[in-house]
Every structure is written in structure tokens, then in C-alpha cells.
Amino acid sequence: MSRARAALVLALASGGCAPAAVLDPAGPVAAHERLILLDSLGIMLAIVVPTILATLAFAWWYRAGNARATYRPDWAYSGQLELLVWSVPALVVIFVGGIAWVSSHDLDPARPIAGAAPLDVQVVSLDWKWLFLYPGQNVASVNRLVVPTGRPVRLTLTSASVMNSFFVPRLGSQIYTMPGMATTLNLRADAPGRYRGLSANYSGKGFYGMQFAVDAVPAAQFDGWVGQARQAQAVLDVPAYRALLGDGERVAPATWRGVAPGLFDAIVRNAGTAKARPAVDGRSQ
């Protein structure tokens, strides 16, 4: 789903997905999506407001007590009126469709965001938790995504279970995670803070707790967090990953000081069924 369509659908239809956060962006993608929403609202109000006013005006003018209103029971057609009735909605469709078309290309999830070299993060949706792998730093975390402010983040996402949906309302967009394939999403947090991340696609009994925190911090603080993660006792090897595959609900954030080589690619290759066991470095595990 494109970012433009996602913003429109989620803001209008998802009462439980913090619609107010969509209108309070903390990054360029979310800011562009808010502009799309406001522009589309303004265009649609151009027909909604006059229609409401015309309805009230007609009801008042053609009331029973107005002798000046002309009663024309034999009236059937007016070319000028037909042109007005059809041209205004047509223009609305053209304008809104044009915004959606242009924005869908401008906000292509895989399109890189201008700026510094992006931070690569690999994301795996599990039952019912989010796993984040940092290949450049060789650390991992669950239910907590830490990113440096002002630096683009390139997310590569997949699912080790059923199809899911990754969504951080204040950073913008949402994108599906699907077993057996990887998708790409580029985001950037311009303001430091903690942002709510969630699953936007129902995925079973633990869906209600499938949320995570996004901590946007200065670059030096991000490096400090990476250093702390490298001091963790556990390594995310294949046995540790298999333990994560259990149906855990409301899993507390945790970190690992290392990641088994090729783990993410193995998850993508072996995620044809839920609870898949990855084959790392070509060896069956």
C-alpha cells in the first residue's frame, strides 16, 4: 500500500491507531502525509460546504410560506445546471486523484530520504512482538527501536509468522510485513522523543499488545545505546531466536550483544510457514 493511501485510510478509519498522532508529525514523511490529508480535506470541502449551504437555502426559499418562490412542476432539464452538477464533482476527483498519484510516487516507501547515510535496521514481526536487528552494529532488540535523530533509517521488513503491518504514526506511513519476502521502508525522525509503534493489522489473540517504542535520540546517545547493547549477556543465535518464536504477549524490551550471521536472510528464506526454523549459513538448524 502506498504511503498516500495509507495515510488517508488509517487517519479516517482507524480510531484505535492514534489519529491525532498522524496530525502531529515528527519527520518528513509524516509531515508530507499530513499535507496530503489537509489538501484533500480542503478540496472535498469545496463541494461539501456549498452542498450543505444550498440545501439549507433551498429549504428556506421554497418553504410553504414564501409566495415569491416559483413553482415549476413541468421543469425537466437544464444544460447549464447539468454542467454545474457534474463538473464540480469531476474537478474534485481530478484534484484528489492528482494529489494521490503524485504523492504515491513522491512517498514511495523504498525511495531513499535525502541526507546522511541511512541506518540499516532489519525488522521481523513475530507472535506478538517486534524484533529489530542492526546489521551494521551487530546488535538486536525486541519491542524497542532506537534511532538517531536527523538520520534516515532504512528498514527492511519481513514476517516470521502471519502477515502484519508496521506503523509509527508520528514518523509516517505503514507497510506490511509478509512471510517469505522483504519490503523496504525509509523514515526519519527529526525531533528527539519516544514515539509509539504498533501493529496495524490484526494478527491473532496477542495483537492488542503488539506495540513497541521508538526512541529517537541524538547521535552520541545512540552510540551509547549501542555500546550498552554490546554489554548484554545474551547473543541472538538460532536457539535464542527459536525461543522468541513462542506465542509471547506483552514481551518486555530486551537487547542482544550479537546476532547470528545471516539470520535475517535465513528468516526470509524459511518463513513460508509460521514457526519456521532458519537455516543459517546454509546449515539446517
Side-chain angles (χ1 to χ4, degrees):
M1 180 181 288
S2 71
R3 284 173 169 160
R5 288 164 51 201
L8 289 170
V9 172
L10 289 169
L12 295 176
S14 300
C17 289
V22 176
L23 300 178
D24 185 21
V29 175
H32 198 151
E33 290 177 344
R34 182 181 64 175
L35 181 61
I36 294 171
L37 290 171
L38 296 178
D39 286 347
S40 301
L41 176 63
I43 292 171
M44 290 183 285
L45 286 177
I47 186 172
V48 172
V49 172
T51 299
I52 294 174
L53 295 177
T55 300
L56 296 175
F58 270 68
W60 178 81
W61 181 254
Y62 289 102
R63 67 191 186 279
N66 185 13
R68 294 180 296 170
T70 303
Y71 178 56
R72 298 178 180 178
D74 298 326
W75 181 87
Y77 178 79
S78 170
Q80 294 178 339
L81 186 58
E82 288 289 330
L83 179 63
L84 175 63
V85 168
W86 289 104
S87 62
V88 175
L91 289 174
V92 171
V93 172
I94 291 172
F95 290 149
V96 174
I99 289 176
W101 175 268
V102 174
S103 299
S104 294
H105 290 82
D106 290 342
L107 294 177
D108 181 357
R111 184 174 182 175
I113 297 176
L119 170 69
D120 283 307
V121 181
Q122 297 166 335
V123 183
V124 184
S125 59
L126 303 167
D127 291 337
W128 285 270
K129 61 194 81 73
W130 292 94
L131 175 64
F132 303 100
L133 311 176
Y134 294 76
Q137 292 72 30
N138 194 33
V139 297
S141 63
V142 65
N143 282 350
R144 186 188 182 200
L145 174 62
V146 182
V147 298
T149 55
R151 181 180 176 183
V153 180
R154 180 169 54 206
L155 302 161
T156 307
L157 307 98
T158 191
S159 174
S161 180
V162 298
M163 185 174 73
N164 222 298
S165 179
F166 177 94
F167 186 33
V168 184
R170 292 195 63 192
L171 297 185
S173 190
Q174 68 87 30
I175 194 165
Y176 287 106
T177 63
M178 289 167 277
M181 67 176 292
T183 53
T184 302
L185 174 64
N186 287 276
L187 297 175
R188 190 180 75 203
D190 289 337
R194 168 163 286 194
Y195 308 118
R196 178 191 178 201
L198 52 91
S199 168
N201 188 77
Y202 181 73
S203 56
K205 66 185 179 69
F207 163 77
Y208 71 98
M210 196 171 178
Q211 302 184 28
F212 59 95
V214 180
D215 288 326
V217 298
Q221 190 172 340
F222 173 76
D223 293 338
W225 174 81
V226 172
Q228 291 179 353
R230 288 172 176 167
Q231 301 302 316
Q233 295 183 351
V235 174
L236 188 61
D237 52 16
V238 174
Y241 171 73
R242 288 182 186 172
L244 279 176
L245 289 176
D247 296 345
E249 299 181 33
R250 299 227 178 241
V251 175
T255 57
W256 291 267
R257 61 181 173 86
V259 180
L263 178 61
F264 182 81
D265 293 335
I267 294 172
V268 175
R269 288 195 307 267
N270 294 274
T273 59
K275 315 304 182 195
R277 297 183 176 184
V280 180
D281 291 339
R283 300 187 300 272
S284 177
Q285 302 292 330

